[in-house]
Amino acid sequence: MTFRTFLAGLLLSALTLDVAAVDPEPRPAAQDKPAGGGKGKARGQAERTCALTITWWEDPVLPEGETLELGVQGDREVTPIHPSAMNPGGTFLYEGPAKVTVVRKTLVPNPNGKPDAKPVDGWLPYAQFTLGDGDQETLAIMFAAEGAQKAMVRSFNIDAASFPFGGFDVLNFSKSRLLCSMGGKVFFAEPGKRVRSPLVIAKREVVNFFMGVTDADGVQKLIYRAPLILSEKNRRLYFVLDNPDPAAPNRFIAHTMIQHVAGHRTIETLRGQGGAPRREETAPVPSPEAAPEAPKKGAPKAKAA
């Protein structure tokens, strides 16, 4: 088992996942249909309408020669998606059931029913997660399992009203209560919780960020500090996990996901441009401001407590 696989498993065990298991005998999902849905058919009200962004926690490792084509099953058609690791781009308009089904393209039995008919391309269930009643903008992170033959998903509401640009959210998936300070404003991140920094950036500025823990003996220990160049045009999700390596000098590992306002899509803007995501759409490349920030995967910079 690789370190990355172990780390992903550790994160999953720290979360209460909103996951439904893939059917043990999956049935083909509905095939792609023209966007118009056919003449004379009235368009019904979807159970959920959402600006949906799907990303990998880490890009899945596939067997040699194997490809992974994914889509999301909506009320009327499958929308192809092209997620990459920790990249909040490719947002698309989802209209469908509250339980979202990610599907994988594969060969399925020919529907004509003839014994000698060759298989045809079709979609089979790959992963599922559920949207909340009021979710307008949702980020879903997929975790590959069993050689990427299926995935589990953790979803987050990220609508701009509750997660504004200039915002900085800490998602504490460690077992420790984290003491954080940003720009002199102190806040706590409880284990397994998502918490908002009280400082929402209104203009580009350098902000000192500190993170520490209180040990069992009551002594506070600094585990990370850095000056961050923050901007009102970015919003950040900062993930903190326990380091699974007991011999490592750092007790925690952190990952950061950044979305620039230029890559932000809403239900209204997506309806204006069509719902399908563009393959080339990615989040803007982080500027050098991100360099001193979070410890990187496999090479954390956080100081040992």
Side-chain angles (χ1 to χ4, degrees), residues 101-305:
T101 301
V102 179
V103 291
R104 179 178 185 175
K105 180 172 283 189
T106 187
L107 293 176
V108 298
N110 197 308
N112 68 19
K114 295 181 179 179
D116 58 345
K118 294 183 179 180
V120 297
D121 284 338
W123 298 96
L124 292 179
Y126 184 71
Q128 292 181 320
F129 60 97
T130 302
L131 296 174
D133 291 343
D135 288 0
Q136 297 290 299
E137 300 174 38
T138 296
L139 169 68
I141 301 179
M142 294 194 299
F143 302 83
E146 297 184 4
Q149 294 304 307
K150 63 179 181 178
M152 292 178 285
V153 183
R154 179 69 160 99
S155 61
F156 306 90
N157 177 36
I158 57 167
D159 65 80
S162 60
F163 184 30
F165 283 85
F168 186 103
D169 280 15
V170 176
L171 294 96
N172 181 13
F173 298 139
S174 76
K175 297 177 182 178
S176 303
R177 187 189 197 213
L178 301 177
L179 170 64
C180 306
S181 173
M182 178 168 283
K185 295 183 180 294
V186 176
F187 60 102
F188 295 92
E190 302 293 341
K193 300 296 184 180
R194 173 183 175 183
V195 64
R196 173 77 32 77
S197 164
L199 181 64
V200 177
I201 302 302
K203 62 180 181 179
R204 182 181 172 90
E205 60 180 300
V206 178
V207 176
N208 289 318
F209 177 59
F210 299 88
M211 187 169 65
V213 294
T214 302
D215 279 348
D217 56 7
V219 177
Q220 292 184 348
K221 293 185 178 181
L222 183 68
I223 59 175
Y224 183 74
R225 63 181 176 184
L228 307 181
I229 303 177
L230 303 179
S231 167
E232 79 285 2
K233 295 182 180 180
N234 294 323
R235 55 182 180 176
R236 303 175 182 226
L237 294 172
Y238 189 81
F239 300 84
V240 182
L241 300 83
D242 291 307
N243 194 327
D245 182 1
N250 304 315
R251 291 175 55 182
F252 303 89
I253 295 175
H255 305 265
T256 303
M257 184 183 295
I258 304 173
Q259 185 180 52
H260 191 275
V261 68
H264 181 226
R265 303 289 183 265
T266 65
I267 293 174
E268 291 72 25
T269 59
L270 289 167
R271 279 179 170 159
Q273 69 182 32
R278 297 172 296 182
R279 186 184 184 95
E280 69 274 10
E281 180 187 352
T282 59
V285 176
S287 64
E289 67 184 82
E293 187 190 350
K296 303 299 180 182
K297 296 180 182 179
K301 297 180 182 178
K303 296 184 179 182

Side-chain angles (χ1 to χ4, degrees), residues 69-94:
E69 291 186 61
L70 299 178
V72 173
Q73 178 66 59
D75 277 341
R76 298 185 301 151
E77 60 186 344
V78 172
T79 299
I81 58 173
H82 312 280
S84 56
M86 302 296 277
N87 184 353
T91 305
F92 65 99
L93 182 65
Y94 173 78

